[in-house]
């Protein structure tokens, strides 16, 4: 899909049965986000799978968490991390704690390889085909 608008229009075809992530709700994250059953499984695997090592990037903080979701909750609660204090990608609207991380991200985002924010949501039901084209994992439609 070449734009967020065409992506959203296409996803409207697949919105039946959307549900919240109960693990995120318990953590107070993604309160208004809803998932199809396939995208909920992908989200759960990406954000709630235990076993990773996710270290807080705040200077002087040695906290380590097993899931990205628990690290995010820590950052919000302990370091007052908010979208206003970060650097935002103009392509996918994902926020980064430093300009260096944003710069590193921009190359992959411009090439369509980034799985942050909108692209994360898209990746749950879309597969990158290259040259600005995605295919829908549910129906195979390419745009």
């Amino acid at each position: 899909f070449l734009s967020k608008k065409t992506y959203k229009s296409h996803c409207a075809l697949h919105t039946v049965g959307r549900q919240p992530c109960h693990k995120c709700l318990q953590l107070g994250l993604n309160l208004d986000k809803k998932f199809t059953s396939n995208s909920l499984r992908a989200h759960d695997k990406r954000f709630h799978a235990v076993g990773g090592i996710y270290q807080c990037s705040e200077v002087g903080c040695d906290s380590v968490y097993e899931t990205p979701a628990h690290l995010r909750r820590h950052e919000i609660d302990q370091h007052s991390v908010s979208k206003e204090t970060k650097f935002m990608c103009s392509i996918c609207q994902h926020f980064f704690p430093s300009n260096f991380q944003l710069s590193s991200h921009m190359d992959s985002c411009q090439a369509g390889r980034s799985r942050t924010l909108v692209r994360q949501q898209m990746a749950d039901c879309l597969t990158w085909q290259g040259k600005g084209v995605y295919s829908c994992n549910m129906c195979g439609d390419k745009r």
Side-chain angles (χ1 to χ4, degrees):
F1 295 89
L2 297 176
S3 73
K4 187 176 178 180
K5 184 178 179 181
T6 58
Y7 162 71
K8 284 188 172 195
S9 295
H10 179 79
C11 282
L13 300 170
H14 306 292
T15 56
V16 175
R18 293 177 70 92
Q19 54 195 339
C21 173
H22 295 290
K23 293 176 184 177
C24 279
L25 293 177
Q26 289 173 343
L27 291 169
L29 300 171
N30 299 321
L31 298 177
D32 55 352
K33 193 168 182 180
K34 306 258 187 208
F35 302 88
T36 63
S37 58
N38 286 341
S39 65
L40 182 58
R41 279 192 297 274
H43 165 82
D44 191 58
K45 184 177 179 181
R46 194 170 50 245
F47 289 103
H48 301 294
V50 175
I53 298 174
Y54 301 93
Q55 187 166 1
C56 181
S57 60
E58 188 74 20
V59 175
C61 183
D62 297 325
S63 297
V64 177
Y65 296 88
E66 291 184 322
T67 69
H70 284 95
L71 173 59
R72 180 70 178 139
R73 181 77 268 158
H74 161 80
E75 290 173 337
I76 291 168
D77 292 345
Q78 300 302 314
H79 304 298
S80 301
V81 171
S82 69
K83 292 181 179 181
E84 292 79 30
T85 61
K86 293 186 174 184
F87 297 88
M88 185 181 82
C89 173
S90 59
I91 298 170
C92 70
Q93 286 72 51
H94 187 75
F95 291 87
F96 296 88
S98 71
N99 195 35
F100 174 77
Q101 288 174 315
L102 170 62
S103 298
S104 299
H105 158 83
M106 288 298 289
D107 290 338
S108 63
C109 198
Q110 288 170 337
R113 294 186 308 264
S114 174
R115 287 183 47 91
T116 54
L117 201 57
V118 172
R119 293 188 188 276
Q120 282 178 349
Q121 295 166 357
M122 291 170 58
D124 291 340
C125 66
L126 300 174
T127 300
W128 174 253
Q129 300 294 311
K131 297 183 181 178
V133 177
Y134 289 88
S135 66
C136 176
N137 294 337
M138 296 176 204
C139 68
D141 189 16
K142 293 182 181 179
R143 293 185 192 216

